[in-house]
Amino acid sequence: MKRIFTRISVLAGICLLAINVAFAQNITVKGRVTDGGDKSTIPSVSVLVKGTQNGTQTDATGAFSINAPANGTLVFTYLGYVTQEVAVNNRTTLNVVLQSSSQQLDQVVVVGYGTQRKIDVTGSVASVKGEEISKQASVNPISALQGKVAGVNITNSGTPGSSPQITIRGTGTIYGNTGVLYVVDGVWFDDVSFLNPSDIENLSILKDASSQSIYGIRAANGVVLITTKKGKSGDPVISYNGSVGYKKVTNQVEMANATEYATIINELISLNDPAATPLFANPASYGVGTNWYNQGFRNAMQTNHQVSINGGTEKTTYNFSLGYTGEDGIVKTQDYKRYTAKFSNDFQVLKPLKVGYTLSGTAIRTNDVDGGIFRQLYAAGPVVPVYYADGSYGDANDFSLGGGNNFNPQVTLDFFNQKSKNYRFTGNVYAELTFAKHFTFRTSAGGEFAQNEVRGYAPVYQATQGQRNTQSKLDVRRDENRNWILENTLTYKNTFGNHNITVLAGTTAQRRKNYFLNSSALDVPFSSDGDLYLALGTAGKSTVTDGGSLTTSASYFGRVNYSFKDRYLLNATIRRDGASQFYGGGDLWGNFPAVGAGWVISNEEFMKDQKVVSYLKLKGSWGKVGNAGVPVNPTTLTIAQGGNLVAFYNGVGYTGANINSLVPSFLNWERTVGTDLGLEAKFLNNRLSIETGFYNKKTEQAIFEIPILTSIGTASGRLIGNQADFQNRGFEFLASYADQTKSGFSYSISGNIGINNNKVLSVVTGLNPIYAGGAGIANGALATRTIQGGPIGSFFGYQVAGIFQNTAEVAASAQSASAKPGDFRYVDVNGDGAIDGKDRVVLGNPNPKYSYGLNATFGYKQFDLSMDIQGVADVDVYNANIAFRFGNENFSKDFYDNRWRGPGTSTTYPSANVGSTNNAAPNSFYVEDGSYIRLRNVQLGYTLAPSLMSKISLKKVRVFVDAQNAINLFGYKGFTPEIGGTPTNAGIDANVYPLSATYRLGLQVTF
């Protein structure tokens, strides 16, 4: 009996083993996917084996076939439908019915310190997926946002690796920090140039005060939340993403050639002295001459490579990536190289306890160019050769030119030697404990260590008469930043009956430390291998300056999110911040409250039977945020010694000292108060989505500099204080339509527009204005004015009424004492018979009123196409290049062709004497329309068919070609109207870095 029982047990064990083996084997599963409403088949549905990268899509008839474990689970995903998971259970045929997600209540967006369902958001939050960012040929991830989000204006620079300027709903400060706050995996940053765009999972932009207030201390200019990619459970997945391409200058400004240059220089000499002998006896003999832009510019190579590994188990997940970006500048000798590494781990230590960390490192190295090279390339005379026949440099002085144009740009390119190195290490570690069913406690610590070093060496050389150096010099500048942040949050989340509530409470402590060292040494000998040190210089001929800053802050915050029946929404936030920079003379602590409410109208009973609107939500919010981005201890009175100051004691002279500037005895926080109203709607079974919003953002007690008389004893002639109120008021609109045909053609088209009006509401001094905008302006004149009732940084100067044609017109004008034929005729605004500062008027606005974007994606079978169009309108720029002259600089071809050269030849362009005091004064001629529209990005991709990839043991292979900034339409006469600058100096083109177009070929492979 015992033997029989043993045999039965063995047989049963074998049967169980066979069953387990059978269920562990892969089987072929076939089926069809249909719509739960009209019962039609759905093509291009994503079918994925859960926990793996093994997937396929349904064909034009909704059919699919996939190899899957007999005990596995298939995940079916399609736009506009509820994602469905179906267990295989050893079945070879599965027919699946997908239900339309009429309200998409489960869509989640990232907000401050957590996530929210899209339906629950009462503020203005825009989300962009990481895959949309990585499609762009941009080194900086923020550049890729251009044109994608309403109300967000981004100004790019052509400099390799540079950080773009980003403005969210207008400029709201002048003296304070104008940059947005970046929060990357919980750590605060001022810029994200260290981030590889391919490492980003999601990016959220908090645009209104209600959503920003949770970051009160630094949220006045907006908040950008970035979540990097994390590990996912499943088999290891290895991905490669790479591209190679080149950049070339677009819209290159055409300059006068050598013959034209010689002709107009002769004209200039004659205008100033009719009896003078022409400098160039035979202008035609110089031919075309040197095209200095062609000499200094090049087609610049760009390459990018990233490898990542992702995977894990139910208990542990990991993500690791390595990246390299190499980008040459369009100016010869300039280049940029960036190396990135990122590693993250998450561990489910116990069922209620999860811990993890993210570490990243970035190393950047650049070969820099002289900041004045663009001025030189613009102004250099084309009659000057690059080299003479004997190989020596062409010398402008050999042509008796003199004046300001005494340089050969090639000399600058050859002898300028400056290299930069930047290292940054960032990290964050966290622990998350769930207890008592509804509570989650999270603690995290993060920070960064960054070091930047710039070494510039000027050797001894003799190239031309004006370009030489008799004493070598080595400059070394080093900056270090050591910042950390500690945060603790406790979250209560519960749903009971028709009520859904989430309560958050938390604390934050931060420290930001900066240290800098500037040093130089003379007579440092040249070293061909680049080993240059300060100690090699002559003793006693070196200087060292060091300094730094330390700021700390502490914060307490809380938030309540409540919804009833998914219809009525309430959001309330409070944050209290203390900042050390206000210690001893300011309002050390600031309170930043906010409240938002929403009404999901489509969930009301009276909306149930209608078929037009599938989703409709009305929302509104109010909030207050702050700006602590001011210099440390702004209320501390400082003095400085100077050689021009002398103090006598007992008849002996000593070096004196003076007050740098007057400071207030007390300084309040700069606060921004915002109101937001919005509407969200979906139509046509969620295929058409619309979002609109109105906002009113007011900066109160803005920290502002007002001019004072230097006669009272200050060096700067300005007083800092809470002295102004600014306002940005606008409207935003976003519409998108997405659908897919039964033949498998899918498409999505979206458009957005933002309208913003910037205005100075009040200044303590009333109508006393702030003048600025002198950088790059001829004669040091100030070209902008900020005054009560107008926008920040308006262009300001004389209104041009035409060109004087003869001496009689000059004699009969208010400018008879200073003008001559060919000069600008200015409007006598106040009619007093004289042209002076009282006749200046507002000439333009550098703050764009309209910004817009159009984005589209298309897919058919293995092909995909994406396209982004972006632009701005109703904005002005100031072309300072034309009049910034010292005598014999070159002219643009446009100016040469249209210049005044005698009575009746031009009524709009002045003579060659444009650099004279009368003509160079800021005026309406130099203010041009800065509107533009461009094809920001277009990309065509092809993904190999799944059947082919399975044969070569790959999960995905995609090749693509793309172009960035390939088409640019604008009327501005410079390289690009996309010109940045500080708030009171914005939009002034003093030889900005030119715009470039990028063309790439790329490959994406998943193993």
Side-chain angles (χ1 to χ4, degrees):
M1 189 70 177
K2 181 178 180 181
R3 182 178 299 177
I4 294 174
F5 180 80
T6 301
R7 289 178 178 177
I8 293 175
S9 299
V10 172
L11 182 60
I14 293 173
C15 292
L16 289 174
L17 180 61
I19 293 173
N20 289 333
V21 170
F23 272 90
Q25 293 176 342
N26 281 357
I27 60 175
T28 300
V29 181
K30 298 181 179 181
R32 193 176 304 276
V33 180
T34 56
D35 185 295
D38 58 15
K39 310 303 180 185
S40 62
T41 59
I42 309 176
S44 299
V45 175
S46 172
V47 185
L48 186 71
V49 178
K50 187 176 181 180
T52 73
Q53 297 295 316
N54 178 26
T56 186
Q57 288 185 336
T58 58
D59 61 18
T61 65
F64 71 91
S65 177
I66 190 172
N67 290 326
N71 60 346
T73 299
L74 299 183
V75 182
F76 296 83
T77 307
Y78 187 67
L79 179 68
Y81 290 80
V82 177
T83 298
Q84 190 172 154
E85 296 185 4
V86 180
V88 176
N89 288 336
N90 207 33
R91 291 176 290 178
T92 58
T93 301
L94 286 178
N95 292 318
V96 178
V97 178
L98 294 185
Q99 301 296 329
S100 172
S101 54
S102 60
Q103 294 176 353
Q104 297 179 320
L105 298 181
D106 56 346
Q107 183 181 352
V108 174
V109 296
V110 177
V111 296
Y113 299 98
T115 60
Q116 281 185 273
R117 297 184 307 166
K118 173 69 173 175
I119 191 176
D120 292 332
V121 175
T122 59
S124 183
V125 181
S127 295
V128 180
K129 294 182 179 179
E131 61 189 43
E132 292 299 316
I133 296 173
S134 61
K135 281 184 179 180
Q136 303 280 345
S138 305
V139 175
N140 191 294
I142 303 304
S143 297
L145 295 177
Q146 198 171 39
K148 290 187 175 296
V149 181
V152 177
N153 191 50
I154 294 173
T155 304
N156 286 302
S157 167
T159 306
S162 62
S163 297
Q165 286 185 262
I166 175 172
T167 304
I168 300 176
R169 292 183 169 179
T171 299
T173 186
I174 289 182
Y175 187 78
N177 184 355
T178 61
V180 304
L181 169 66
Y182 298 99
V183 182
V184 183
D185 294 330
V187 183
W188 295 22
F189 297 98
D190 291 327
D191 78 274
V192 288
S193 57
F194 64 94
L195 266 183
N196 188 328
S198 297
D199 283 330
I200 295 177
E201 179 72 25
N202 181 79
L203 186 149
S204 291
I205 301 176
L206 311 184
K207 297 191 292 182
D208 74 311
S210 171
S211 58
Q212 297 164 354
S213 64
I214 198 73
Y215 294 105
I217 190 173
R218 271 281 283 110
N221 299 309
V223 183
V224 177
L225 307 179
I226 298 178
T227 303
T228 61
K229 293 179 179 178
K230 303 293 184 181
K232 298 178 181 179
S233 60
D235 298 332
V237 177
I238 302 175
S239 299
Y240 166 79
N241 189 347
S243 65
V244 62
Y246 73 96
K247 301 189 302 179
K248 64 177 298 183
V249 175
T250 64
N251 302 90
Q252 181 170 309
V253 176
E254 185 180 1
M255 304 300 295
N257 63 31
T259 297
E260 295 163 340
Y261 171 80
T263 300
I264 198 171
I265 290 296
N266 283 345
E267 280 183 22
L268 178 60
I269 294 173
S270 177
L271 286 167
N272 290 312
D273 184 4
T277 302
L279 181 60
F280 300 98
N282 183 11
S285 66
Y286 290 93
V288 175
T290 304
N291 186 318
W292 283 107
Y293 277 139
N294 289 349
Q295 177 64 25
F297 292 161
R298 64 178 173 183
N299 289 341
M301 294 297 296
Q302 183 189 65
T303 183
N304 181 74
H305 305 279
Q306 192 208 38
V307 177
S308 65
I309 304 175
N310 190 302
T313 65
E314 293 183 359
K315 297 292 185 181
T316 305
T317 59
Y318 58 86
N319 180 279
F320 174 67
S321 70
L322 290 173
Y324 167 76
T325 296
E327 183 178 15
D328 292 337
I330 59 173
V331 179
K332 295 176 181 177
T333 73
Q334 185 181 30
D335 64 49
Y336 169 91
K337 293 180 174 61
R338 182 181 67 190
Y339 307 85
T340 61
K342 175 182 167 293
F343 192 76
S344 66
N345 260 133
D346 295 285
F347 306 92
Q348 195 71 48
V349 180
L350 300 169
K351 187 175 181 180
L353 178 62
K354 184 178 182 180
V355 299
Y357 66 88
T358 298
L359 298 175
S360 67
T362 305
I364 297 174
R365 297 195 173 193
T366 66
N367 284 314
D368 305 323
V369 294
D370 190 310
I373 189 62
F374 296 107
R375 170 66 188 164
Q376 293 187 14
L377 293 172
Y378 182 92
V383 297
V384 181
V386 181
Y387 304 102
Y388 291 130
D390 62 0
S392 61
Y393 289 101
D395 192 341
N397 293 279
D398 291 343
F399 295 83
S400 302
L401 298 179
N405 177 22
N406 62 351
F407 42 74
N408 179 328
Q410 189 63 48
V411 175
T412 303
L413 291 174
D414 290 344
F415 287 95
F416 183 82
N417 180 4
Q418 179 176 293
K419 301 179 185 298
S420 301
K421 298 179 181 179
N422 181 280
Y423 304 97
R424 181 178 292 192
F425 300 94
T426 67
N428 174 268
V429 59
Y430 76 91
E432 192 173 274
L433 177 66
T434 301
F435 62 96
K437 190 176 181 180
H438 301 295
F439 290 89
T440 301
F441 174 75
R442 180 185 175 94
T443 182
S444 67
E448 68 167 329
F449 172 81
Q451 177 177 299
N452 183 62
E453 180 181 282
V454 180
R455 300 175 72 89
Y457 178 70
V460 175
Y461 69 93
Q462 171 75 50
T464 68
Q465 293 182 50
Q467 292 173 286
R468 56 183 177 174
N469 188 42
T470 59
Q471 189 174 34
S472 65
K473 182 181 182 181
L474 175 65
D475 290 294
V476 178
R477 303 190 298 274
R478 179 177 295 170
D479 281 274
E480 289 185 5
N481 290 287
R482 302 175 183 178
N483 308 321
W484 56 254
I485 179 171
L486 301 175
E487 293 190 307
N488 297 290
T489 60
L490 178 64
T491 305
Y492 169 79
K493 189 173 184 179
N494 195 9
T495 299
F496 45 94
N498 294 317
H499 308 276
N500 190 313
I501 188 170
T502 301
V503 181
L504 170 75
T507 64
T508 297
Q510 273 189 285
R511 192 179 87 156
R512 299 174 63 86
K513 182 178 182 181
N514 169 262
Y515 170 77
F516 68 87
L517 177 70
N518 297 335
S519 56
S520 66
L522 298 176
D523 300 325
V524 176
F526 175 74
S527 173
S528 59
D529 58 5
D531 292 330
L532 302 169
Y533 305 101
L534 295 168
L536 299 176
T538 302
K541 293 186 177 181
S542 61
T543 61
V544 176
T545 303
D546 67 345
S549 64
L550 175 66
T551 61
T552 59
S553 64
S555 310
Y556 307 91
F557 55 89
R559 180 176 62 204
V560 176
N561 295 325
Y562 170 77
S563 69
F564 177 70
K565 290 186 175 181
D566 284 333
R567 298 179 190 172
Y568 314 112
L569 315 172
L570 180 66
N571 179 302
T573 305
I574 181 68
R575 182 171 180 124
R576 180 171 172 80
D577 284 313
S580 64
Q581 52 263 54
F582 292 95
Y583 180 76
D587 192 356
L588 182 63
W589 288 90
N591 298 315
F592 305 101
V595 62
W599 177 25
V600 185
I601 304 172
S602 54
N603 279 357
E604 294 287 358
E605 290 297 328
F606 61 80
M607 294 287 289
K608 294 299 183 182
D609 296 329
Q610 58 85 31
K611 303 296 183 183
V612 179
V613 180
S614 53
Y615 175 66
L616 182 63
K617 181 172 75 173
L618 182 66
K619 59 183 181 179
S621 65
W622 173 92
K624 181 180 289 189
V625 291
N627 187 357
V630 298
V632 178
N633 301 324
T635 59
T636 301
L637 189 67
T638 60
I639 61 174
Q641 290 183 314
N644 62 325
L645 303 172
V646 180
F648 291 93
Y649 294 95
N650 297 323
V652 179
Y654 297 89
T655 301
N658 191 23
I659 297 171
N660 285 326
S661 63
L662 290 180
V663 297
S665 60
F666 187 85
L667 201 66
N668 282 315
W669 285 74
E670 187 175 271
R671 294 174 169 87
T672 297
V673 179
T675 303
D676 190 89
L677 295 174
L679 181 72
E680 299 176 8
K682 295 180 183 293
F683 306 90
L684 305 177
N685 199 22
N686 293 321
R687 291 191 292 271
L688 175 62
S689 299
I690 292 177
E691 293 187 28
T692 64
F694 167 82
Y695 63 88
N696 186 29
K697 186 173 73 169
K698 181 181 177 182
T699 302
E700 299 178 336
Q701 296 184 320
I703 300 174
F704 202 68
E705 287 184 324
I706 59 173
I708 56 176
L709 297 175
T710 55
S711 59
I712 67 175
T714 66
S716 68
R718 293 182 182 274
L719 172 65
I720 302 170
N722 298 107
Q723 304 177 106
D725 291 339
F726 312 133
Q727 181 188 69
N728 287 279
R729 179 181 291 175
F731 174 79
E732 296 170 356
F733 178 79
L734 167 67
S736 62
Y737 186 89
D739 199 5
Q740 190 158 3
T741 67
K742 294 182 179 181
S743 62
F745 176 70
S746 61
Y747 59 93
S748 174
I749 301 174
S750 66
N752 68 81
I753 185 171
I755 304 173
N756 183 74
N757 288 286
N758 178 271
K759 185 178 182 180
V760 179
L761 296 178
S762 64
V763 180
V764 170
T765 55
L767 297 179
N768 196 16
I770 292 293
Y771 293 100
I777 305 297
N779 305 318
L782 301 178
T784 74
R785 183 185 72 165
T786 301
I787 192 170
Q788 181 175 318
I792 296 174
S794 295
F795 297 128
F796 187 71
Y798 299 103
Q799 183 66 47
V800 174
I803 304 297
F804 288 115
Q805 299 297 317
N806 50 55
T807 55
E809 289 187 2
V810 174
S813 74
Q815 296 167 248
S816 57
S818 60
K820 63 180 60 174
D823 283 0
F824 289 120
R825 180 201 296 268
Y826 295 132
V827 176
D828 183 6
V829 175
N830 62 359
D832 63 357
I835 298 297
D836 53 28
K838 298 176 183 178
D839 295 303
R840 293 176 296 171
V841 295
V842 174
L843 303 174
N845 185 357
N847 304 286
K849 183 175 183 178
Y850 304 99
S851 58
Y852 55 90
L854 178 65
N855 315 110
T857 60
F858 306 93
Y860 182 69
K861 295 185 178 180
Q862 276 70 57
F863 289 94
D864 62 89
L865 175 68
S866 62
M867 184 182 304
D868 301 311
I869 297 174
Q870 174 264 335
V872 298
D874 200 356
V875 61
D876 300 296
V877 295
Y878 191 97
N879 193 339
N881 303 310
I882 302 173
F884 193 72
R885 311 181 60 79
F886 297 96
N888 48 37
E889 290 83 358
N890 198 9
F891 296 81
S892 69
K893 186 66 163 57
D894 171 75
F895 187 90
Y896 176 84
D897 289 341
N898 296 283
R899 75 193 186 283
W900 183 91
R901 50 193 179 277
T905 55
S906 177
T907 58
T908 54
Y909 281 62
S911 69
N913 201 30
V914 66
S916 67
T917 302
N918 180 73
N919 291 324
N923 65 62
S924 59
F925 176 79
Y926 305 114
V927 177
E928 301 183 38
D929 185 3
S931 303
Y932 69 83
I933 181 172
R934 71 165 54 107
L935 180 60
R936 174 63 181 166
N937 191 70
V938 58
Q939 185 177 100
L940 175 65
Y942 178 80
T943 303
L944 272 62
S947 58
L948 179 59
M949 288 188 290
S950 62
K951 294 180 181 179
I952 56 178
S953 300
L954 295 176
K955 293 183 173 65
K956 180 180 180 180
V957 176
R958 179 178 180 267
V959 294
F960 67 86
V961 292
D962 65 14
Q964 186 178 80
N965 299 332
I967 300 176
N968 304 275
L969 303 176
F970 54 82
Y972 177 58
K973 297 181 179 65
F975 277 98
T976 172
E978 189 175 347
I979 303 168
T982 58
T984 56
N985 297 277
I988 298 177
D989 182 0
N991 284 283
V992 299
Y993 204 107
L995 181 72
S996 60
T998 305
Y999 304 89
R1000 298 189 306 167
L1001 171 66
L1003 174 67
Q1004 298 169 332
V1005 181
T1006 301
F1007 301 88

